């Protein structure tokens, strides 16, 4: 087999561009990492000894670090994760949901939630967010929506909601938690994008503060932490079982957690408690300045709490280019090629910039001038693309677990209509399921898969 390049060479090629990074991991090429972590990174890569403790049975320094984190985040119990929020979501759901139970889940949830359904033989009841057609984003969930869903599906043991979303949009967590608790049901929150909320009161309140029973946070998305660093928190008054979640975590988590990552998490939390919080305020102010400038220029659009009418992460810049006649994807490409600016994600409408604690004011100044220039010079060779955010509704014919384990066969899309899907297709970002095991493949779903995911064949349950 012919290999073109070492992986090292390819990644180095990107690194050499010296890109301005508004994407994860939030340490921004090391800018946000503590100097001592950078200095000692490889020497800190050790294993379990008396001095270094053991993450899966912590009794010493790791136990202390987790307790420290739990105090900072206001949790009853906090677990360090070196396999991202992915493993946290799986453990949290498996630990909270009895086998065979039903769970109310956000239609746009991350693929790890679907993995947990498969592993735990859990039946999903889908909660569909409202589409905000004026702003081209999914709205957050309200208490009324959850109340309606629960009255139709009282069998659900609890709910799992993603808040904030990739677009920084938050749900009515406090009201939803209260509603669920009135009914003796639990609320789990995928707060992967909201680890920074705990460090600044100009940001939305955390899920735990608002009464969630448990949540996960990817430190690497918004804080100065190494890729895959994440936390699983259980609330102080949680109605979910600590023991069950911990058991599930031990089942799923690597037995060789990375010490540079774990020390890095402790360092990141300390940094945020120190100068980090002040730095977030500065970045928030800078983002506000950019938003104001965009509104004055009137050639770009930007989402905010006022237009969305719900809490939004002030550090998630979601900028639309439709007034210039270009898609978010085209705009992201122009930003990369002409300005060396790399955003986290782009869709047919928006470019999504993660402004993390590792970013600097200077980088935001460069983004501001690039946007200003873009707003006046329309690139000529790009065309608007069709909207790709409207994921088709789900008609569940089998549980995800039953379909995943059923005998299956490959089918071309043209011969798959009416069949039951046997696989999960969910591109990242944002990682929401375009289709999941157990879903009936309607013409609309197949059209979406072909147009948006470029799928030509897939696995279906054998008839
Ligand atoms: C909403 C959401 N939840 C969970 C995850 C998984 O997080 P991680 O990459 O830390 O495993 C992601 C990843 O992008 C995400 O966007």
């Amino acid at each position: 087999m012919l290999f073109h390049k070492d992986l090292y060479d390819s990644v180095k090629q990107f690194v050499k561009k010296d890109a301005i990074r508004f994407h994860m991991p939030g340490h921004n090429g090391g800018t946000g990492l503590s100097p001592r972590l950078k200095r000692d990174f490889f020497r800190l890569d050790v294993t379990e000894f008396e001095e270094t403790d053991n993450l899966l049975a912590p009794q010493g320094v790791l136990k202390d670090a987790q307790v420290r984190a739990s105090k900072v985040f206001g949790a009853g119990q906090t677990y360090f994760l070196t396999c991202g929020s992915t493993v946290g979501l799986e453990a949290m759901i498996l630990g909270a949901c009895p086998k065979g139970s039903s769970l109310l889940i956000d239609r746009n949830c991350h693929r790890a939630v679907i993995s947990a359904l498969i592993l735990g033989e859990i039946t999903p009841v889908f909660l569909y967010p409202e589409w905000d057609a004026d702003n081209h984003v999914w709205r957050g969930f309200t208490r009324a929506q959850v109340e309606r869903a629960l009255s139709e599906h009282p069998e659900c043991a609890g709910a799992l909601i993603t808040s904030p979303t990739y677009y920084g949009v938050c749900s009515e967590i406090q009201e939803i938690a209260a509603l669920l608790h009135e009914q003796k049901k639990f609320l789990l929150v995928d707060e992967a994008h909201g680890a920074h909320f705990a460090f600044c009161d100009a940001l939305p309140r955390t899920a735990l503060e608002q009464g969630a029973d448990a949540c996960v946070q990817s430190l690497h998305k918004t804080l100065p932490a190494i890729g895959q660093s994440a936390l699983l928190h259980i609330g102080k008054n949680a109605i979910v079982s600590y023991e069950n979640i911990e058991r599930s975590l031990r089942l799923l988590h690597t037995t060789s957690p990375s010490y540079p990552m774990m020390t890095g998490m402790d360092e990141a939390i300390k940094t945020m408690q120190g100068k980090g919080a002040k730095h977030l305020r500065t970045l928030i102010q800078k983002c506000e300045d950019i938003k104001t400038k965009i509104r004055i220029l009137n050639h770009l659009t930007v989402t905010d709490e006022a237009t969305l009418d719900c809490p939004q992460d002030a550090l998630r810049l979601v900028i639309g280019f439709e007034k210039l006649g270009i898609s978010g994807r085209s705009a992201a490409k122009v930003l990369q090629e002409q300005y060396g600016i790399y955003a986290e994600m782009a869709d047919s409408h928006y470019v999504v910039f993660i402004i993390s604690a590792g970013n600097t004011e200077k980088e935001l100044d460069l983004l501001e001038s690039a946007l200003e220039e873009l707003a006046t010079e329309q690139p000529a060779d790009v065309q608007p693309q069709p909207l790709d955010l409207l994921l088709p509704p789900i008609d569940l014919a089998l549980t995800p677990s039953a379909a995943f384990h059923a005998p299956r066969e490959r089918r071309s899309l043209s011969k798959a209509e009416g069949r039951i899907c046997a696989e999960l297709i969910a591109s990242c970002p944002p990682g929401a399921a375009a289709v999941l095991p157990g879903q009936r493949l309607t013409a609309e779903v197949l059209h979406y898969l072909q147009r948006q995911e470029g799928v030509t064949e897939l696995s279906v349950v054998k008839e």
Side-chain angles (χ1 to χ4, degrees):
M1 191 193 255
L2 181 65
F3 292 102
H4 296 291
K5 254 185 192 170
D6 286 346
L7 179 57
Y8 176 90
D9 293 331
S10 303
V11 180
K12 186 70 200 228
Q13 202 172 326
F14 171 78
V15 171
K16 273 194 345 217
K17 289 182 180 170
D18 228 354
I20 302 165
R21 305 176 186 206
F22 295 110
H23 55 77
M24 58 184 88
H27 61 73
N28 187 19
T31 311
L33 296 179
S34 79
R36 63 180 185 171
L37 181 71
K38 282 196 277 193
R39 187 192 60 217
D40 296 332
F41 194 86
F42 293 105
R43 281 185 298 169
L44 291 168
D45 201 3
V46 294
T47 189
E48 288 79 14
F49 294 113
E50 209 177 309
E51 302 89 325
T52 57
D53 207 2
N54 179 342
L55 185 65
L56 297 191
Q59 292 300 326
V61 285
L62 281 169
K63 184 175 174 197
D64 292 349
Q66 292 188 142
V67 169
R68 223 171 9 251
S70 72
K71 293 204 166 28
V72 173
F73 288 92
Q77 187 94 27
T78 292
Y79 303 91
F80 280 11
L81 311 171
T82 63
C83 314
S85 284
T86 296
V87 77
L89 281 168
E90 290 165 358
M92 180 171 75
I93 295 170
L94 284 184
C97 300
K99 182 176 164 186
S101 60
S102 298
L103 179 67
L104 192 62
I105 65 166
D106 174 354
R107 160 62 182 101
N108 294 342
C109 66
H110 186 260
R111 54 182 300 146
V113 175
I114 310 297
S115 307
L117 303 179
I118 294 170
L119 292 169
E121 299 181 26
I122 300 157
T123 304
V125 171
F126 293 99
L127 192 58
Y128 289 86
E130 209 177 287
W131 176 248
D132 179 340
D134 293 333
N135 292 297
H136 308 279
V137 290
W138 295 104
R139 300 182 66 83
F141 291 105
T142 61
R143 175 182 165 122
Q145 278 173 298
V146 177
E147 198 157 22
R148 222 173 301 126
L150 287 178
S151 68
E152 285 165 21
H153 294 279
E155 73 277 14
C156 289
L160 178 130
I161 283 175
T162 312
S163 179
T165 65
Y166 232 102
Y167 297 80
V169 176
C170 297
S171 292
E172 285 182 356
I173 295 299
Q174 183 166 347
E175 294 79 357
I176 294 170
L179 167 75
L180 285 156
H181 292 156
E182 282 159 23
Q183 302 190 17
K184 309 265 179 293
K185 297 177 193 295
F186 56 79
L187 175 63
L188 310 177
V189 178
D190 178 351
E191 200 172 33
H193 290 268
H196 55 310
F197 288 0
F199 299 100
C200 182
D201 55 16
L203 293 168
R205 286 190 305 146
T206 67
L208 283 184
E209 272 179 278
Q210 297 186 73
D213 292 284
C215 71
V216 293
Q217 297 172 330
S218 296
L219 298 196
H220 69 97
K221 293 195 197 305
T222 56
L223 298 184
I226 309 297
Q228 291 183 221
S229 309
L231 298 176
L232 164 56
H233 302 294
I234 303 181
K236 282 182 186 152
N237 303 313
I239 59 168
V240 290
S241 152
Y242 282 57
E243 198 191 338
N244 284 354
I245 293 180
E246 212 170 295
R247 255 162 41 106
S248 305
L249 191 55
R250 274 199 224 107
L251 203 70
L252 299 165
H253 199 272
T254 175
T255 53
S256 310
S258 154
Y259 275 86
M261 276 172 72
M262 294 190 288
T263 19
M265 287 192 240
D266 199 33
E267 290 288 282
I269 294 167
K270 276 193 214 131
T271 304
M272 292 313 295
Q273 281 185 288
K275 60 184 184 347
K278 186 161 170 258
H279 183 53
L280 286 188
R281 282 208 164 268
T282 309
L283 295 177
I284 290 171
Q285 186 50 54
K286 199 70 222 147
C287 287
E288 287 310 315
D289 295 347
I290 292 178
K291 289 181 189 176
T292 307
K293 175 76 73 60
I294 284 175
R295 286 189 208 100
I296 292 168
L297 286 171
N298 203 26
H299 280 136
L300 305 176
T301 55
V302 64
T303 61
D304 62 23
E305 293 201 338
T307 48
L308 298 176
D309 193 24
C310 68
Q312 192 195 16
D313 176 2
L315 289 170
R316 192 58 55 107
L317 278 181
V318 180
I319 298 181
F321 294 80
E322 78 279 9
K323 288 187 186 169
L324 298 180
I326 63 172
S327 71
R329 272 191 212 99
S330 302
K333 205 152 180 280
V334 173
L335 282 164
Q336 286 178 10
E337 287 169 3
Q338 293 184 16
Y339 301 94
I341 292 176
Y342 282 69
E344 167 65 21
M345 182 177 77
D347 62 38
S348 56
H349 207 87
Y350 288 117
V351 181
V352 179
F353 302 86
I354 296 183
I355 314 305
S356 74
N359 282 119
T360 61
E361 256 187 291
K362 184 157 172 261
E363 287 167 333
L364 280 169
D365 284 337
L366 291 169
L367 176 62
E368 185 176 349
S369 19
L371 291 172
E372 210 171 335
E373 235 176 85
L374 260 185
T376 46
E377 291 174 28
Q378 180 180 346
D381 58 342
V382 279
Q383 289 298 317
Q385 290 170 9
L387 202 61
D388 56 5
L389 296 171
L390 295 168
L391 292 164
I394 295 169
D395 170 12
L396 207 63
L398 281 179
T399 65
S401 182
F404 183 84
H405 293 292
R408 58 189 175 278
E409 59 186 342
R410 296 293 287 173
R411 279 262 146 174
S412 68
L413 284 200
S414 59
K415 295 202 174 106
E417 188 171 343
R419 300 294 295 271
I420 300 171
C421 184
E423 66 174 308
L424 171 63
I425 299 178
S427 322
C428 293
V435 71
L436 70 149
Q439 185 174 353
R440 178 83 61 193
L441 293 166
T442 60
E444 187 190 358
V445 172
L446 293 170
H447 180 65
Y448 180 92
L449 287 176
Q450 185 187 24
R451 193 169 55 108
Q452 298 301 345
E453 303 279 337
V455 173
T456 53
E457 58 167 44
L458 79 175
S459 293
V460 298
V461 173
K462 232 177 186 164
E463 285 183 341

